[in-house]
Structures are given as structure tokens and as C-alpha cells.
Amino acid sequence: MAQGSVQVTHSGTSRWRRRTGEYSSLAAALEAAGDGDVLTVAAGTYRENLVLCRAVTLRGPDGARGSVRIAPADGVALTVRASATLQDLHVEAQDSAAPALLVEDGAPELTGLRVVTRSATGIEVRGGARPTVRRCTVDNPGGVGISVLDGAGGVFEECEVLAAGQTGVAVRGGAHPRLERCRVHHASGAGLAVNGEGSAVEAVGCELYEIKGAGVQVAARATGHLTDCTVHRTSADGVTLDTDAVLTVADCDIHDIPENALDLRSRSVLTLTRSRVRHFGRNGLSVWDPGTRVDANQCEIHDSTGDYPAVWVSDGATAVLDSTRVHDVPDALFVLDRGSRADVVDSDLAQVRNTAVSVSDGATVQLDDCRIREAATGAWFRDHGSGGTLSGCTIEDTQTGVIVTKGADPNVERCTVSTPAEAGFYVSAEGRGTFHNCRVTGSSGYGFHVIDGCRTTLTRCRTERCARGGYEFAEDGPTAVDCTSDESRMTQPAAAAVPSGMPSPTAAAAPVTAAQPAGTAGLLGGAPTAPQAPAEPVPDTRPSEEVLGELDTLVGLDSVKREVRSLINMIEVGRRRQQAGLKAASVRRHLVFTGSPGTGKTTVARLYGEILASLGVLERGHLVEVSRVDLVGEHIGSTAIRTQEAFDRARGGVLFIDEAYALSPEDSGRDFGREAIDTLVKLMEDHREAVVVIVAGYTAEMERFLAVNPGVASRFSRTIRFGDYDPEELLRIVGQQAEEQEYHLADGTSEALLKYFTALPKGPSFGNGRTARQTFEAMVERHAGRVAQLPDPNTDDLTHLYPEDLPALP
């Protein structure tokens, strides 16, 4: 029932139709109206489900926008099936299974409508409808804001989705709307979602923000065009493309995104022109899968808020950057996996905290006339199959200009590296590479540093003002032809050591050096290392039973002793079976020690190494103890070297990594600990007979560490848990300490110690055996303070510890 009356003005061509009428309900007025009639609705609330089947005008009274409320109890509030005109109406609905306003046919004009609802959809356009929707608002916290589907189209001008419980604007089923200067915000799904073959959207001057999902989502062969749009403050990716989606983005601004600013997968194609991508938490551009491609022209990607590369290309995808700036990011461009490729032309990569260009796992890059500056590493070709071309590029103010490692083989031509802190070009670990007409100036280290006998080719290269030398080559390493240097203070090694093709001592320019490198720590972090000392002589090994006897004397650790004896028995029987010509079960000797500090993990690791040496399994059996600080460098490149050096020191013995879980922190991001883990896993596989690795740490942390690093977990045979010492065992440790230092526990002292250890807090910082030893040392100190006051102490005074010598409980 209507509140008020409805006035209908008939505007037919016949004179008798030119009249007005009043009706008691909207439905009656619509039934009487014909095409072209104007229905002016009096202010009020109308509990009717309206259907417009004629080209009429339905509006509220002049100057009273929103005073007419169409609010039925259920169902669709307003259905439009003709080229009608609707103005200044307020539409409400509560049916979660139906839209509030449904446009099914015609080319209606909707102006100034406000849709406030908790329906499935605020405004739904379907079928052959082609509406023009101007200055309308949708507030629908229960469902989709605007849906255009099933081949529908239309234009939405200056419209606003104030809230949506799902997607802000959804386009599917071959629909193709145009959005002009629209705003979508506070949506709980994607801001704009386009799905399905034939579905398309064109958005001009639009803004999408405060989205609890992706800002723009294009998928399943849909297409889109965004021009002069802004996407910001989402909770997921800014723009996502999936499954053959195609999107063109021009003159847009995508910023304040906690995840990827733009993410492409599954053969999607993105064209990005004159756009800004900034303040993103993960990747600015993330490109995955074969056939996926992004073309970025005249764009700017900058100010990352996370620890991820600005541009990530993997799994066979392709990225093209043309006249694009990437700056103020942790890493600029990472290209990885066979088939992945990046072409970068006339672009700037600057203010990069780590690596500007990283190429790995068989990927390739082509950089032409690019400028890289203020980065830790300019370009790093990491491993076998990785390569490409750097042509006409300049690299300035880096730690290292170009790094080539682990079999990578790039072609670098006409490139200049200026003022590197450590080296212009560094090649190691079987890296290759061809360097033609390249130049290094003002290096604080070497110009070209090639170690490990890498088969690198240099032609017509030049170095100038390099502090440590223009060229530093390993013996039988690179081939250098027509290369020069201005280093007049460099010494020429013996003729036999000069690589073929190098200038002779009588050349006009100073000769390059082919001397053996003095170490690489100075190249990739820290001070230069001295030449490695000769290996220590193999120590005399004690019989295994003697070492096991020492293990048995340790206080407590009964389960640990059983585990170690079981493992040793397996190894010993396997060795004897081999000697008898029988097959021996493969026993992995690497171990995981878990438990609190001070429970004897380091001591047991030392004895384990000795036992293996006595059995002939290890050459020396010595223990090298390291932690995160010994393995992880301060920047990319130094970690692998530090880990390799620690592993080399442990050859023939045991590498004991304490608090190993610190290599993989929970919030690791781009933490360099992962590089240490990867290096360690490869070394354990390549040299499985030379070194035993034991990783140790708190029980819970080590379980997490092994769970997130399956490659590490698979290398270890078993986990041995070291339990906390009970008060009686702590008392025994103090007793052993006292006996070794020629002290005695006087009557009542043992009982006092037992009570002391029982009452001692056993929090996370409790040191177990270390606490027992510290307690003994405190008792000795208090004893000394007491005895020093005696004028003539006797032997008992000097050796007996009393309950009053116990320190206070913390």
C-alpha cells in the first residue's frame, strides 16, 4: 500500500491522451501508463515489487531526492524490462536470494538512485539490457554490489559502491559494461571481478580501495581495459589475472597493496603503460607459468614495503620492461626457472638493497642499454643453464657489478661497472660467461675476479683505478684476449702462470695479473682473508670403547647414550659386512639434537666424531662448531662463501650447527639463512662421506625448522632428544666438578644443593648442566670470600664447601 498518491502525466500524441491521473499505488499507475508517460511519485515508502515494462519515466518529486522509498518485504524491489527512465529513487530489499534492482531488457536510464539492501546483488543487469546508470550508489553489505552478466552491457557513470559483502562489481557470462569515474570501496570480495570467455570491462577514471580481497580480478579468458584508474588499500593482490585473461592498464596508479601489486598466471597477458606501482608488500609484478606475459612501458615500480623482488618472473613466464624505472626495493628483477625470460630495454634499476637482476634455475634475461645503480649486486647469474645477454648497460655504486656462479653462462658486452666496493665482475663455483669490450673503473677491490678455475672468456676488456688489481685469475682459469689495465703497481707472476692471450710484461698498458686469489671474503663481505693454512695433521684416535666409556661417564642422558650406541652398532656392523664382502645397509650419519641449552649436545657431538674416526668412518673426527652468524653473510653472495668455508673446515670431522632453526626464522621473508640451508644441503649431498653434520636447538624450534625445510629433514637419519637434568643429576654434576677441582661437599651441603636445584626456576633460559657448573663456580667464589677472612685456614677450610656457600636463588 502506498503512502500518498502517484501522479501520472500522459504525453501521447493524441489530444485525449494529454491528461494527468492519480493512482493509489505504483503498480496501478504503471499498469495505466503508456510509453513516454511520466510518473511523479509522492514522497513515502512503497511496499511493492515493481515491474517496468514500458518506456516510462519514474521519478520522485522535484528537489526531494531519495524521498521515495521502494521497499517490499521480499523479492526483487524493482525490475526494469524496457527503455524506461528512473530518477532520484531510494530502493531497499532484504532478499538474500534475489537482486534489489534488476535490469533485464532495453536501454533504460537510471539517474540518482540509491540502493540500500542486504540482497544477493544491489543492481543486476542481464540479458540484452544496455542501461545508462549515472550517479547511483549501492550499499549492500550482504552480497554483490553491481552484477553485469549473460551478455549484458551498459554504461555506469560516476556511480559508487559504498559497501559489498562480496564482489564490488562482478562481470561474467559474456557481459561487457563500461565504467566511467566510478568508485568501489569496502567490498569483502574483489573490487572488480571479470570472469568467463567473452566477458569484458572498460574502466576509465575509476577508484577501487578498502577492498578485503583483490582490487581487480580478471580470469577465465575474460578481458579488461583500465585507464586512469587507481587501485589501493586492498587486503590481497592489487590486480590478478588468471587462465588466459587479457588486461590493458594505462595511466593507472596501484599502491598500498600488502601482497602482489599485479599477479599474472596461467597464460594471462598484461599490457602496462605509463602506470605507477608503489608501496607493495610482496612483488610489484608477479608473473608465473608458460605463456604468461607482461609488457610494461614507461612505468615506475618503487617503494616496496616488504622483502621481496619488485618483479618476479618464474615457471616459464615472460616479462618485457621498456623505459621503466624500478627503485627503492629489496631486489629489482628475479627471473627463475627454465623457459622464463625477461627483456629489459632502456630502463633504470636503482636504490636496490640486494640484487638488481637475479637469474637462476635455467632462466634467461636480455638487458639492453639499461642503468643499474646503488645496489648490493648489479646482476647475478646464479646457476647452470641460467644466462642471457647484458648489452650496453652501466652499473654504478654497487658492492659487486656482475656475479656469475655455479655453471651460469651469460654474454656481457659493452657494459661498464663504475665504483664497485668489492669487484666489477666476479666469477666462481664453475661459472662461465663471455665478457666482450667491458670496462671496470674505480673498483675498491678487483676489476675482474675469476676463481675456482672458471672457464671464462674476456676479450677487449679494460680496468682502470682498481685498488686491489685489475684482474685476479685462478690458475688454468679464464681466457683473456686483448685485455688491458692501467694498474702500474701490479706485479707480473711467473710466465708459466700467465693465461694464454694475456698481454706480456712489455705491453704498453700494464699487464693483467694471473696470480692465485688470496681469498674471497673481502670480495663479498668483510675483510680479506689470509691464505688458507695447511690442514692440521690427523690426530691420534682413541679406541671406540674408550670414547664410549667417556660417554657413559656423563651424568644422565640415558636415552641419548642408547641412541648413540645403537647408531654406532649399525655403522660398525655395516663396516664389518663390507669387509666380509656383504652388502651393508646405508646408514645416514647426520643427526638432529634437540633439547634445552646445557644438556650436553656439544659434548656428545664431539665424542660422536671421535667414535666415527676410531671406526675409520671419518678421517679426523674433529668438531667444528658454528651458528647462524658464522654461516650467514650481510648481503647476497657472502652467505654461500661462509657456509662453504665452514664446511671445508669440518672436512673429515663433524660440523655442529647450534641453534640451526635461526637459519629459517618464522618471518624469514628474503632472509639469507635460506641461502645457507640450500648451500649446506648441496654440500651434504656432494660430500656425504667427508663430513657429518649435526644440527641442534630447542625441541619445538627444531621441529618447525625440519617441517619447513624438507630438503634438510631428508638428509638426517634420526633425531636425538636431550632431556632436562633433574635435581639429582644437577647435584651429581656439581659433585664431579668439586672432585675435579679438589673440593669436598661438607655435611649438609648435598642436601642444601638438592633443595636449591629443586627450587630453581626452570624457565626457557634454564641452563641445565651449565647452570650446575655456574652454581659450583659461585660456591667457590663465595667460599674464597669466606676463607680469605680466616687468619690461618687449615686444609678442611680450604677444601670444604658448606651450605652457606650456595648463591641466592634468582
Side-chain angles (χ1 to χ4, degrees), residues 22-353:
E22 292 187 0
Y23 301 86
S24 60
S25 71
L26 280 172
L30 290 172
E31 180 67 25
D35 290 344
D37 286 351
V38 178
L39 286 74
T40 302
V41 185
T45 300
Y46 297 84
R47 306 292 185 182
E48 302 179 57
N49 301 92
L50 300 182
V51 179
L52 277 69
C53 297
R54 298 182 179 90
V56 300
T57 296
L58 184 65
R59 69 187 184 190
D62 292 339
R65 180 179 180 184
S67 63
V68 176
R69 295 175 63 234
I70 302 173
D74 55 24
V76 180
L78 182 58
T79 301
V80 182
R81 294 173 179 163
S83 298
T85 299
L86 289 79
Q87 298 174 357
D88 301 332
L89 303 177
H90 185 108
V91 179
E92 295 183 11
Q94 302 295 328
D95 195 331
S96 61
L101 193 160
L102 175 61
V103 183
E104 290 188 314
D105 203 354
E109 294 188 9
L110 285 61
T111 303
L113 273 59
R114 179 175 175 83
V115 180
V116 179
T117 180
R118 297 193 70 88
S119 302
T121 307
I123 298 176
E124 182 173 304
V125 183
R126 61 169 61 241
R130 300 290 187 272
T132 299
V133 187
R134 297 187 179 94
R135 298 184 299 280
C136 294
T137 63
V138 177
D139 186 347
N140 184 19
V144 177
I146 298 172
S147 288
V148 188
L149 54 151
D150 298 341
V155 177
F156 294 78
E157 298 177 0
E158 299 181 22
C159 294
E160 182 173 11
V161 176
L162 299 169
Q166 300 175 31
T167 303
V169 177
V171 180
R172 58 186 174 85
H176 46 88
R178 175 182 171 89
L179 311 179
E180 297 181 5
R181 302 180 303 284
C182 293
R183 297 172 64 199
V184 179
H185 53 94
H186 294 90
S188 295
L192 169 61
V194 191
N195 287 275
E197 187 167 9
S199 299
V201 71
E202 184 174 0
V204 180
C206 297
E207 182 180 15
L208 301 100
Y209 63 99
E210 297 294 351
I211 306 296
K212 293 182 180 179
V216 176
Q217 185 181 77
V218 186
R221 300 181 182 275
T223 62
H225 300 268
L226 305 183
T227 304
D228 194 26
C229 293
T230 301
V231 179
H232 61 113
R233 301 206 306 272
T234 65
S235 66
D237 296 337
V239 177
T240 67
L241 281 72
D242 200 353
T243 315
D244 301 292
V246 178
L247 179 66
T248 299
V249 177
D251 301 298
C252 291
D253 191 0
I254 302 169
H255 65 91
D256 293 294
I257 307 295
E259 297 294 328
N260 301 306
L262 299 109
D263 183 80
L264 294 73
R265 299 170 186 262
S266 302
R267 303 172 304 281
S268 297
V269 177
L270 170 67
T271 302
L272 190 67
T273 306
R274 297 182 305 278
S275 296
R276 295 180 67 192
V277 178
R278 54 194 173 94
H279 298 156
F280 44 88
R282 292 182 70 87
N283 308 124
L285 279 174
S286 178
V287 194
W288 302 71
D289 303 326
T292 306
R293 179 186 176 97
V294 59
D295 286 85
N297 183 270
Q298 300 178 61
C299 295
E300 185 176 12
I301 304 171
H302 63 102
D303 288 303
S304 168
T305 59
D307 295 314
Y308 301 87
V311 180
W312 175 279
V313 184
S314 66
D315 294 332
T318 300
V320 178
L321 308 181
D322 190 350
S323 304
T324 291
R325 291 184 61 213
V326 182
H327 61 92
D328 292 287
V329 294
D331 300 279
L333 170 63
F334 265 43
V335 189
L336 59 161
D337 302 323
R338 187 171 302 279
S340 299
R341 180 180 179 85
D343 293 323
V344 189
V345 181
D346 190 24
S347 294
D348 291 272
L349 313 177
Q351 288 92 49
V352 181
R353 294 192 289 277

Side-chain angles (χ1 to χ4, degrees), residues 598-647:
T599 49
K601 295 187 290 293
T602 306
T603 300
V604 173
R606 176 179 57 80
L607 295 175
Y608 180 59
E610 280 197 67
I611 293 169
L612 294 182
S614 69
L615 296 175
V617 175
L618 291 176
E619 182 181 356
R620 298 172 59 195
H622 65 296
L623 181 75
V624 173
E625 183 177 0
V626 297
S627 61
R628 174 187 167 90
V629 69
D630 303 297
L631 302 177
V632 178
E634 297 176 355
H635 57 77
I636 286 181
S638 56
T639 295
I641 292 174
R642 289 190 183 188
T643 304
Q644 176 77 61
E645 290 175 345
F647 195 88

